[in-house]
């Protein structure tokens, strides 16, 4: 479909709106991981802290990747407000469990944008989003792997479990 | 207020490759494409269900900056809806001059 704005913008406006939502979600995820990193850091759970600091950076990179894509495609990327970041946690295990939930939520919203771009024949956005679809499989898998460690090492001291947390 | 009057009151059109003209009553505002995108974003925010309800229950009026804050425009709710429709038309409707 050639619209009046097609010469200015190659991205479909509805896809642009969803990608802007996705930017906000990635930035929120980044802020949320930062809160998790701090909780671990304060309790000298070094590997977990490092894991979450790294995640916080990665989520920001994801947000920036989408941000730049939207502008490159002629759209308007919007710097999101990040509100209500939870800084209260009860245990290391529950932190990893909520990070899995968060990742699943991110995956669902990536799917939503992917579906929309397919539905409106926005092939460039669909191709762009493919990377994120694959990335989310990996992201979810890493966190599931960590929750498995908690199951396997149940009853062991927290510090020993922390030593098994991958930092890369 | 009937539909025809509303349409006459607010009109958005592409005038050159990257310039748009927004006509609100007797005010004429020139918009570049980034300014149009910014306006779309503002208008969509104000017409979301939640915000619109607040406006209707409140003053019923909306103040909008346009064209990088060059213009400040006061709109009532029907005008706001009319503006959103005009913008959506520019973004979604096939352009007759493109082949
Ligand atoms: Fe992400
Ligand atoms: Fe992630």
């Amino acid at each position: 479909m050639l619209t009046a704005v097609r010469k200015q913008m190659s991205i479909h406006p509805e896809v642009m709106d969803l990608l802007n939502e996705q930017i906000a979600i990635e930035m929120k995820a980044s802020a949320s991981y930062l809160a998790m990193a701090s909780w671990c850091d304060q309790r000298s759970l070094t590997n977990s802290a490092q894991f979450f600091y790294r995640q916080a950076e990665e989520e920001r990179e994801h947000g920036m990747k989408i941000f730049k894509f939207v502008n490159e495609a002629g759209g308007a990327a919007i710097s999101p407000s990040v509100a209500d970041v939870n800084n209260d946690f009860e245990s290391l295990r529950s932190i990893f469990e909520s990070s899995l939930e968060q990742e699943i939520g991110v995956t669902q919203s990536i799917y939503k944008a992917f579906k929309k771009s397919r539905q409106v024949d926005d092939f460039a956005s669909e191709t762009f989003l493919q990377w994120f679809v694959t990335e989310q499989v990996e992201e979810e898998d890493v966190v599931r792997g960590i929750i498995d460690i908690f199951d396997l090492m149940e009853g062991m001291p927290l510090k020993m479990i922390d030593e098994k947390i991958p930092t890369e | 207020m009937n539909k025809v009057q509303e349409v006459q009151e607010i009109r958005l059109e592409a005038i050159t490759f990257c310039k748009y003209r927004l006509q609100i009553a007797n005010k004429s505002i020139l918009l570049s494409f980034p300014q149009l995108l910014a306006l779309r974003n503002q208008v969509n925010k104000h017409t979301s269900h939640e915000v619109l309800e607040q406006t209707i229950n409140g003053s019923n009026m909306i103040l909008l900056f346009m064209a990088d804050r060059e213009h400040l425009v006061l709109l009532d709710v029907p005008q706001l809806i009319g503006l959103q429709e005009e913008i959506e038309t520019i973004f979604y409707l096939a352009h007759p001059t493109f082949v």
Side-chain angles (χ1 to χ4, degrees), chain A residues 26 59 62 136 139:
Chain A
E26 301 287 349
E59 299 305 345
H62 294 165
Q136 279 312 115
E139 296 257 277

Side-chain angles (χ1 to χ4, degrees), chain A residues 1-6 12-13, chain B residues 85-98:
Chain A
M1 180 178 68
L2 281 177
T3 62
V5 298
R6 177 59 184 89
H12 189 282
Chain B
E85 282 169 3
E86 282 295 289
I87 294 173
E88 292 305 278
T89 304
I90 287 272
F91 275 88
Y92 291 108
L93 280 198
H95 197 282
T97 61
F98 289 175

Side-chain angles (χ1 to χ4, degrees), chain A residues 1-5 7-9 12-14 16-17 74-76 78, chain B residues 17-18 20 33 36-37 40-41 44 90-95 98-99:
Chain A
M1 180 178 68
L2 281 177
T3 62
V5 298
K7 285 187 182 177
Q8 267 80 41
M9 192 164 100
H12 189 282
E14 276 182 74
M16 175 176 75
D17 293 341
I78 292 162
Chain B
F17 173 65
C18 56
Y20 298 80
F33 187 66
L36 177 61
L37 279 174
R40 174 178 180 271
N41 187 44
N44 283 350
I90 287 272
F91 275 88
Y92 291 108
L93 280 198
H95 197 282
F98 289 175
V99 194

Side-chain angles (χ1 to χ4, degrees), chain A residues 10-96:
Chain A
S10 59
I11 194 173
H12 189 282
E14 276 182 74
V15 176
M16 175 176 75
D17 293 341
L18 289 178
L19 290 183
N20 269 317
E21 276 175 34
Q22 193 62 38
I23 291 167
I25 289 168
E26 301 287 349
M27 292 306 193
K28 174 80 189 267
S30 175
S32 167
Y33 278 135
L34 203 52
M36 295 173 180
S38 182
W39 192 93
C40 299
D41 208 352
Q42 292 168 61
R43 286 156 185 80
S44 298
L45 300 165
T46 346
N47 282 11
S48 301
Q50 206 180 320
F51 175 83
F52 287 120
Y53 279 127
R54 177 81 204 100
Q55 287 298 115
E57 271 172 36
E58 259 185 38
E59 299 305 345
R60 186 183 156 79
E61 282 165 21
H62 294 165
M64 288 308 296
K65 203 169 168 153
I66 305 170
F67 200 90
K68 288 187 175 147
F69 174 78
V70 170
N71 280 340
E72 258 169 35
I78 292 162
S79 180
S81 57
V82 177
D84 305 324
V85 178
N86 178 35
N87 278 273
D88 276 331
F89 306 100
E90 51 177 67
S91 67
L92 188 60
R93 187 191 172 116
S94 76
I95 289 182
F96 280 103

